[in-house]
Amino acid sequence: MMIRSVAAALWVAAALLGAQPAQAQTPASDSVQQGWPGHGGGDIGELRLIGQATLPNAPPFQGTVVGGLSGLDWNPFTGRWTALSDDRSSANGPARFYTLAIDYDALAVRGIRVTGVTPLRDKAGQTYAPGAVDPESIRRDPLRGVLYWSSEGDISAGIDPSVNVISPGGFLRRSMDLPQRFKASAAGKSGPRNNLVFEGLALSRDGRTLFASMEAPLIQDADIPATPAPGPVRITAFDTLTGRAGAEYVYVADPLPAGNGGSFGVSEILSAPGFGGDLLVLERTFIAGVGNKLRLYVADRAGATDVSRIDSLAGTRWRPMRKTLLLDFDTLSGVRLDNFEAMSWGPRLRNGNPSLVILSDDNFSATQITEALVFELRRPGRWN
């Protein structure tokens, strides 16, 4: 999703695909980035930037224009990546996802290229009409052979958001059952804010739970602040077998720096390695005259209040998820910060450590880029 203002206060916010290689860079230093303090007092992980790669701007591919890549997930069976475009079905192509090849190891990132495209289809097996969906995040379920993807809908037009289950060929199988508070409200006094709905998805390691994160607070959960203030964002757990919504937790996004009203937004979430209750949360904002700001946190559900029975957080008592900073992107050297909003674990490196890829959405803009940042997660035995 393109970062934009919400009532001006909440958000200030390869190839010519097979022919020529995409740009790739390796950082001059492999210095370790910020550590992740463990819950027991020791470090449980730290990120090292391996390198980066970019696609050419707006490259054509099989009758579409590649861009708006807002969701990312790795397929261990094919060694390829699934990248969801947030195109709402337009002249650039129908709502769709791409297959990517990203060539890297622990030493360098060598390139990124597009290898396939699959249109998303509705219950009738047809591609979506223009404006019918707003794709944002995608996750592959290797246990069941299906994919999950989220749509922000179009609240201003009365189109509800959705969390969907599809076949590998893009055909809709069913949608999750959404609580009423996440649906469009004609009165506009409750429910989600337009274009700030289900921005992130995370699948539990056992495949039983799909987490869906809002980008911003529901209207009834928080007033639009006139001064820097944290934003309470809901993360909902869906049962992948029944499609029903279960527990719901509050993640509090960072406030913006002094002089800027509002807070960061949640652009993506990801299950942490292992079988714990941790989630990685990518926060993002755009500040006029400053540029993009991004932070990556670990959030722990342990001890957080289940707010699934609370329709309005305002004026109620609840305990949010505990969060710890893993990476402030301002600390990365030689990296152009853009609209990063897709994130996935990749293959383990030869030393056994996980790799993490974070991808930017160029918004189909000539002034932005589609860039993949590749990290190594160095960590001790807790996450083996």
Side-chain angles (χ1 to χ4, degrees):
M1 185 206 80
M2 182 176 180
I3 305 172
R4 62 184 188 180
S5 167
V6 177
L10 186 57
W11 308 106
V12 185
L16 253 183
L17 309 177
Q20 80 186 82
Q23 300 174 6
Q25 299 178 16
T26 302
S29 169
D30 66 345
S31 60
V32 174
Q33 302 301 324
Q34 290 169 251
W36 181 341
H39 303 155
D43 273 3
I44 59 174
E46 57 192 14
L47 286 178
R48 177 181 71 90
L49 178 64
I50 296 173
Q52 59 204 92
T54 60
L55 280 174
N57 184 260
F61 186 82
Q62 296 183 5
T64 72
V65 176
V66 180
L69 303 185
S70 298
L72 184 70
D73 209 50
W74 182 61
N75 185 343
F77 300 107
T78 65
R80 294 291 187 260
W81 302 76
T82 301
L84 184 71
S85 173
D86 65 4
D87 192 344
R88 300 187 181 194
S89 288
S90 69
N92 292 324
R96 60 200 179 277
F97 62 85
Y98 291 97
T99 304
L100 306 180
I102 307 176
D103 182 11
Y104 67 87
D105 56 25
L107 300 177
V109 182
R110 298 175 179 85
I112 177 173
R113 60 190 177 92
V114 180
T115 62
V117 61
T118 303
L120 298 169
R121 299 184 182 274
D122 60 19
K123 292 180 180 179
Q126 303 299 311
T127 56
Y128 286 93
V133 292
D134 182 6
E136 288 297 344
S137 186
I138 194 164
R139 292 292 167 213
R140 180 175 294 276
D141 187 339
L143 301 178
R144 297 183 178 85
V146 298
L147 293 91
Y148 307 98
W149 69 277
S150 64
S151 168
E152 292 190 295
D154 188 343
I155 304 304
S156 62
I159 299 175
D160 289 332
S162 60
V163 179
N164 309 289
V165 185
I166 59 173
S167 70
F171 289 85
L172 181 66
R173 292 190 174 178
R174 61 185 174 93
S175 297
M176 301 296 185
D177 298 328
L178 290 189
Q180 187 62 38
R181 61 178 161 271
F182 294 119
K183 298 181 180 180
S185 169
K189 296 182 179 180
S190 63
R193 293 178 164 91
N194 190 53
N195 214 22
L196 295 167
V197 198
F198 292 125
E199 191 78 11
L201 294 177
L203 184 65
S204 64
R205 293 294 165 177
D206 61 6
R208 290 295 307 271
T209 306
L210 182 72
F211 298 95
S213 60
M214 301 288 290
E215 184 174 2
L218 296 174
I219 293 172
Q220 69 267 31
D221 283 345
D223 293 332
I224 296 174
T227 57
V233 174
R234 291 181 186 248
I235 297 179
T236 303
F238 290 91
D239 187 310
T240 56
L241 294 179
T242 66
R244 296 172 183 165
E248 208 163 276
Y249 306 96
V250 178
Y251 177 88
V252 179
D254 285 354
L256 296 185
N260 300 279
S263 67
F264 280 71
V266 173
S267 65
E268 187 58 282
I269 58 175
L270 183 64
S271 291
F275 289 86
D278 296 332
L279 292 173
L280 266 64
V281 179
L282 182 62
E283 295 192 25
R284 171 203 59 189
T285 194
F286 178 82
I287 302 175
V290 177
N292 293 282
K293 294 286 184 181
L294 298 113
R295 295 168 185 169
L296 184 60
Y297 283 92
V298 58
D300 187 355
R301 302 195 310 278
T305 305
D306 177 359
V307 297
S308 58
R309 297 182 180 275
I310 303 175
D311 278 331
S312 175
L313 298 177
T316 62
R317 296 177 62 85
W318 41 267
R319 179 179 296 175
M321 300 174 71
R322 186 157 59 94
K323 56 188 276 190
T324 306
L325 183 66
L326 175 57
L327 175 67
D328 185 335
F329 283 59
D330 282 348
T331 66
L332 298 175
S333 60
V335 173
R336 171 179 168 179
L337 295 187
D338 211 293
N339 184 32
F340 287 96
E341 59 173 74
M343 178 170 62
S344 174
W345 297 113
R348 285 185 179 269
L349 304 171
R350 297 185 76 175
N351 61 12
N353 286 344
S355 62
L356 178 70
V357 176
I358 301 178
L359 188 68
S360 67
D361 168 6
D362 68 353
N363 291 312
F364 294 95
S365 169
T367 62
Q368 294 182 262
I369 58 175
T370 299
E371 179 179 33
L373 301 181
V374 182
F375 297 88
E376 173 190 4
L377 177 63
R378 292 174 168 174
R379 78 283 181 272
R382 166 179 167 139
W383 280 359
N384 282 336

